[in-house]
Amino acid sequence: MGTDRIKALADFLHGAEKKRTEVLRPSADQAPDLTLEEGYLIQEEIIRQKLAEGHKILGPKMGLTSDAKMKQMNVTDPIYGYTFDYMVENHGSTVMIDRFIHPKVEPEIGFILKQDLQGPGITRAQVLANTAFVFPAIEIIDSRYENFNFTLPDVVADNTSAAGLVMGTTIKTPENLELDALGAVLTINGEVKALGTGAAVLGHPANAVARLANMLALKGEKVPAGQPILTGGMTEAVRIERGDFVSVKIDGLGEVSFIMA
Ligand code: OOG
Ligand code: MG
């Protein structure tokens, strides 16, 4: 696929995000043979376009790192994308649903690194030794595809459905936390919708950061210090509607919540 086609598909998907309209995934329509590599090239072009529009990268995110997510979306491998400054919503705030097409929420553990992390060969222990803080988060995902229906190359091209992010205000150093053993509860309007554990994320959420470093190393890039990194949903993602009160509680990391209006 030439650069013109990559750019055309990036325009198409970025346009769908801006217009808040769902579209047919490329692999079912415009690009039946779309490869994972091409998916990342389209994602990179969308990121260049966002930067050119004045948006700033907040940090990298890993996706499809738990069995719950992989089974729900019918895919088999972790992927990465990027969150941006305009996606951030405050803990306790009211979020306007008009920003989204068909939003879903998922509980995540976030990391902030002390120093840049350069793969390959990064291990969980190296990640933990280099972790400044961990924090609880709700990711609001909003696939631009009809019914969240996609293949791995499609979802990579769509910047891994990135759309919103609510970060908790509790930040902790990782030393006294057993990040794999902790539990997470997602409630909507007080009703429990999903339960997960840290171990659901590739055995330990720090493994997701290691995986990210090792994937980025293939492109000669590193995981930057100081940026919030999302490690991927610990449970399946849950659809939300206007008027919902969404809360995630994670053992040792407190609560993060918002209202969808
Ligand atoms: C893709 C986004 C994946 C996660 O945490 O697994 C993701 C999707 O499910 O639409 O952010
Ligand atoms: Mg996620």
Side-chain angles (χ1 to χ4, degrees), residues 14-90:
H14 195 194
E17 180 187 347
K18 288 198 270 195
K19 285 182 282 196
R20 297 169 184 84
T21 47
E22 50 182 25
V23 294
L24 209 52
R25 60 191 164 93
S27 75
D29 182 29
Q30 303 180 53
D33 302 323
L34 189 72
T35 65
L36 192 58
E37 202 183 350
E38 288 162 348
Y40 277 109
L41 290 174
I42 295 166
Q43 184 194 114
E44 281 168 27
E45 174 58 25
I46 291 174
I47 287 163
R48 267 193 296 278
Q49 294 181 1
K50 288 183 189 298
L51 293 171
E53 288 173 0
H55 299 304
K56 303 265 186 305
I57 287 179
L58 194 70
K61 56 163 281 194
M62 285 294 278
L64 310 174
T65 48
S66 64
D67 282 344
K69 286 282 312 187
M70 287 193 243
K71 282 206 190 89
Q72 182 182 30
M73 307 323 296
N74 199 23
V75 293
T76 49
D77 286 298
I79 54 177
Y80 64 84
Y82 290 88
T83 58
F84 279 79
D85 52 356
Y86 69 89
M87 297 177 181
V88 178
E89 305 285 356
N90 291 324

Side-chain angles (χ1 to χ4, degrees), residues 61-64 69 106 108 139 141 160 230 232-233:
K61 56 163 281 194
M62 285 294 278
L64 310 174
K69 286 282 312 187
E106 48 192 22
E108 304 213 12
E139 184 177 18
I141 53 171
T160 64
L230 292 180

